Amino acid sequence: MTPLLIGSEIYRGSSYGPWHPLRIPRVSTVMDLARALGWLPPERFRSSPRAKPAALTAWHTPGYVAALERAEAQQVVDDATRARHGLGTTSNPVFPEMYRRPATGVGGVMLAAQILAAGGVVHVPGGGTHHAFPDRANGFCYLNDPAFAILALRAQGARRVAYVDIDAHHCDGVEHGFRDDSDTLLVSVHEADRWPRTGAITDRGLGNVFNLPVPRGFHDDDMALVRDRLILPAVAAFRPDAIVLQAGSDGVLEDPQSRMALSNNAHLGVLNGLRPLASRLMLLGGGGYNPWAVGRCWTRLWGALARQDAPDRLPSDAQAVLRGLRWERRGGGRAVEPAEDWVTTLADPWRGGTPGDGVVASLGELAGRLRAWV
């Protein structure tokens, strides 16, 4: 099946506000960069529909969906709505597209599930908002599109779905929704003692939850070890009909929202390892708060799906996309000057080293659980 990318122009024209980490362009950079590289011809692109309110109640409560719509329409929330639904907070502020943008993310994964009914791979870089709960916004996430990805794949005949999350932050909303569902495997690799401070290694669900909190400085060699000793064995043993990979890029060294030290080689290695383990693969975005790092990472992953290798040096049109990005310190402060390799290359250098503190021991603990679970 021809790999497809699902995107939308709503991501180009919307922002969480000048003080918010999601004030930066991300999905639009992926679309522009992939097109500049010749990797995204029209036949490989689909415009994301917007999920309708009734569809959103398959996972979110009707009261929350109504509150989210109302907040966008009125551009203000009252104290009761803020307290109950988490809208209008510093993390989840009121902004003009606060309903339409996340509803587009949900529409994208629902469309991807329909496309994947016959097998194949689809990239939805606007997806990956894994913190939202059924009745409230949480952690920059208004709607939980990974939850809808799992439900939509199941509606298209994929009974067993493996969800793998390599974002720097634990997928608390997704675990909340599927920890008691034996037909969903949940594997999360995230930085220890980082918000939301959930995802303990002791979490089990029905035996289907495998959380690996990792130390600061977690690097590419660490991730390769985790991939080979946990992620791939767990998914292979589960024998899923479909895989959802949330590939948040906030674990890369240049990202301001974690203290991990990955390169985009780590994400590529996980993606390539998972690809042959199911006939359907949906690749989502997620965290990522350095505009050059996230755009390069997700574009490189799309290139892998499209069987395109990253060039040693980007052509001038692709460089122009990256040189056109602007990232200011919060509140309109001094603009960040990108390193030259952030605009001339797509592939990061490998960032390895000796195993991080506790990584091998934690893998041993989870491997024992995995053997018992299988």
Side-chain angles (χ1 to χ4, degrees):
M1 299 293 293
T2 300
L4 297 175
L5 187 148
I6 297 174
S8 171
E9 288 299 309
I10 197 170
Y11 300 104
R12 189 186 306 278
S14 63
S15 166
Y16 282 41
W19 290 88
H20 199 282
L22 282 177
R23 63 191 178 276
I24 63 169
R26 306 189 315 161
V27 178
S28 57
T29 301
V30 174
M31 296 190 301
D32 293 346
L33 191 52
R35 286 171 176 145
L37 286 164
W39 294 356
L40 191 58
E43 63 271 18
R44 290 197 172 185
F45 179 78
R46 298 289 184 275
S47 183
S48 176
R50 185 189 312 155
K52 297 184 182 301
L56 297 176
T57 61
W59 200 76
H60 290 284
T61 66
Y64 174 66
V65 174
L68 182 59
E69 283 191 286
R70 187 167 58 251
E72 180 178 284
Q74 298 177 353
Q75 285 298 286
V76 67
V77 297
D78 57 30
D79 291 342
T81 298
R82 184 177 298 107
R84 176 173 177 179
H85 296 302
L87 298 171
T89 65
T90 302
S91 293
N92 291 90
V94 173
F95 70 97
E97 300 84 9
M98 63 186 293
Y99 166 76
R100 286 171 290 162
R101 175 168 162 155
T104 300
V106 174
V109 302
M110 294 175 74
L111 174 60
Q114 294 173 13
I115 293 168
L116 289 171
V121 292
V122 177
H123 185 17
V124 191
T129 55
H130 56 180
H131 295 306
F133 282 81
D135 200 43
R136 66 183 293 111
N138 186 44
F140 310 168
C141 303
Y142 297 84
L143 299 171
N144 198 311
D145 62 78
F148 283 97
I150 295 168
L151 294 176
L153 284 165
R154 193 159 291 152
Q156 295 294 331
R159 185 176 68 87
R160 295 168 68 82
V161 179
Y163 177 78
V164 178
D165 194 308
I166 56 174
D167 195 286
H169 303 81
H170 174 246
C171 51
D172 51 345
V174 182
E175 184 174 316
H176 168 82
F178 296 94
R179 64 193 175 198
D180 296 324
D181 179 355
S182 61
D183 286 330
T184 304
L185 171 68
L186 301 174
V187 181
S188 177
V189 182
H190 49 272
E191 186 178 347
D193 198 29
R194 179 156 298 280
W195 190 94
R197 293 179 173 83
T198 56
I201 195 171
T202 53
D203 291 353
R204 292 174 176 265
L206 296 179
N208 58 317
V209 175
F210 293 85
N211 286 324
L212 181 62
V214 299
R216 291 187 175 198
F218 184 78
H219 50 66
D220 291 349
D221 287 331
D222 286 330
M223 183 63 91
L225 198 64
V226 170
R227 177 196 64 206
D228 294 342
R229 294 192 185 180
L230 173 64
I231 297 174
L232 300 187
V235 174
F238 185 66
R239 297 193 299 275
D241 302 304
I243 297 170
V244 178
L245 172 60
Q246 199 270 23
S249 76
D250 45 4
V252 301
L253 181 66
E254 297 87 355
D255 197 280
Q257 296 292 322
S258 85
R259 295 296 179 266
M260 296 165 71
L262 298 172
S263 75
N264 58 32
N265 295 292
H267 297 70
L268 181 65
V270 173
L271 174 63
N272 285 340
L274 288 172
R275 190 170 181 176
L277 298 185
S279 61
R280 310 181 219 191
L281 173 65
M282 190 186 306
L283 172 65
L284 308 180
Y289 307 97
N290 174 320
W292 293 281
V294 65
R296 291 168 61 248
C297 180
W298 293 350
T299 303
R300 190 178 183 198
L301 297 185
W302 165 246
L305 296 183
R307 305 295 188 189
Q308 300 286 344
D309 293 326
D312 292 336
R313 186 175 179 85
L314 291 172
S316 57
D317 287 352
Q319 289 190 35
V321 172
L322 294 171
R323 293 188 189 279
L325 298 176
R326 183 176 177 84
W327 185 28
E328 294 180 346
R329 301 297 182 186
R330 291 188 181 186
R334 182 173 57 86
V336 175
E337 186 68 28
E340 187 64 9
D341 60 348
W342 293 4
V343 295
T344 60
T345 67
L346 204 61
D348 290 330
W350 186 270
R351 295 168 183 154
T354 58
D357 184 34
V359 170
V360 173
S362 295
L363 281 174
E365 179 178 340
L366 290 174
R369 275 190 50 208
L370 179 60
R371 286 192 294 272
W373 177 63
V374 173

